[in-house]
Amino acid sequence: MLHSIYAIFMSRKPKEQLEKVGIAVEFFREKAGLGRKELADLVNVHYQTIGYIERGEYAPSLILALKLANALEVEVEQLFWLEENQ
Amino acid sequence: MNELIVIAVVLATLSLAYLWVYPTYAGRNVTLMSYMDIGATFIPAGVAALLFWQSDPVFNFFGLELNWFFYSILAYVVIEIPVFILYVKARGLWPEYKAIFSSNSSNEYGWGASAKNVEKSLSEDKWNGLRTKGALRFLIWGSNITLLGGTVLLSTTPESTAVFYLPIHILLIFVFWFLLRKSVRLVADAPEKALDERLLELRNRSYLWAYMWLAAIAYLVATSVLIWAVWMDFNTTEDLWFYPVEISWGQINALFWLIAGYTFALPSMALASYKLKYDMVD
């Protein structure tokens, strides 16, 4: 019974969604000459959050995506886009 | 005479707390001061336990007959009220206290962590040693072993041993809780204001996990009680409707600290486990 409860509660969800999203935050951040901490301060998030976004491990909200685009002076579609196969 | 001994311990504790500990270590952080104060409340009770556990004399509180535990707690609370009011007034701490209870407080204060403290914790590296995979595993296992092992120990040992282990058990619970909170940068106990959207999602997820763990524990306890009742029925010829339960003071304490310990530590414990499982270690 215990292993069934564990299996139901703790099963890992596949990380599919993020793998199909293109991300260019790191490229434009470096192009803008900003460190993660500096960009994080500009968009009011913790610096680790920038790292998670750049590695594709966290999908930002629409508001945060727009703030990032604004801070890096690019269009939001240049930072995030859907991959061809979707 | 016994009453005077307890009052002397209360006065000594209050002097130390209000003249040295609170001004030095809590300063204007009233949340921290409140936690320290809860701890200090039990110091006279702890001393009274050492002195009066065996003899168990009756204490007179304005005509009310009490045992050493309730007398020491009540004496502390009553004597502390004017001291507390004077201290808060003298140091101008009312605004900080009012802020805790104001309508906006859920946004400013989480489960014992203020927005200011969380912001500080998010940017410090002093406790990074607690944030490695090995340290997180140690803290999760250590706190569970402390909580469960201590409960078994307090429930099964004689009262004379339990009275000495109880303060150590309580201390260990608070030490593990403190370290767990540091290891997850107070995120599990943080108010919304202090977190960005990812950390907020992480905090909320840790509460979901904590709830699921708590539900599983409650379910197991309830099932055990049911099984015990059925087992009692099989072991007697009578048709039982009421079940005799004998519970000692040590067992009551064991139960209280098991529930209290998990209530305090479970969110941080769940968040630490979540970080380990999804490889999100700092």
Side-chain angles (χ1 to χ4, degrees), chain B residues 183-239:
Chain B
S183 73
V184 295
R185 296 179 184 271
L186 305 181
V187 168
D189 298 329
E192 294 202 7
K193 189 189 168 188
L195 304 175
D196 69 27
E197 58 177 54
R198 182 184 66 87
L199 292 168
L200 202 57
E201 190 184 308
L202 206 58
R203 185 201 70 171
N204 294 349
R205 196 156 283 275
S206 77
Y207 270 85
L208 179 70
W209 272 45
Y211 169 75
M212 290 191 300
W213 284 11
L214 208 58
I217 294 166
Y219 183 76
L220 283 174
V221 170
T223 310
S224 310
V225 171
L226 200 65
I227 291 169
W228 173 78
V230 173
W231 179 81
M232 287 283 281
D233 275 344
F234 274 114
N235 281 280
T236 180
T237 48
E238 295 168 50
D239 187 15

Side-chain angles (χ1 to χ4, degrees), chain B residues 43-96:
Chain B
I43 293 174
V47 176
L50 292 171
L51 297 171
F52 305 116
W53 185 284
Q54 297 287 353
S55 54
D56 200 18
V58 172
F59 287 82
N60 196 317
F61 188 85
F62 298 108
L64 198 68
E65 291 190 345
L66 299 169
N67 72 356
W68 57 267
F69 178 76
F70 289 108
Y71 183 82
S72 46
I73 298 287
L74 206 59
Y76 189 93
V77 170
V78 169
I79 298 171
E80 192 195 15
I81 292 169
V83 179
F84 169 80
I85 293 170
L86 277 173
Y87 181 84
V88 171
K89 213 172 170 182
R91 294 190 161 250
L93 292 170
W94 283 123
E96 278 83 351

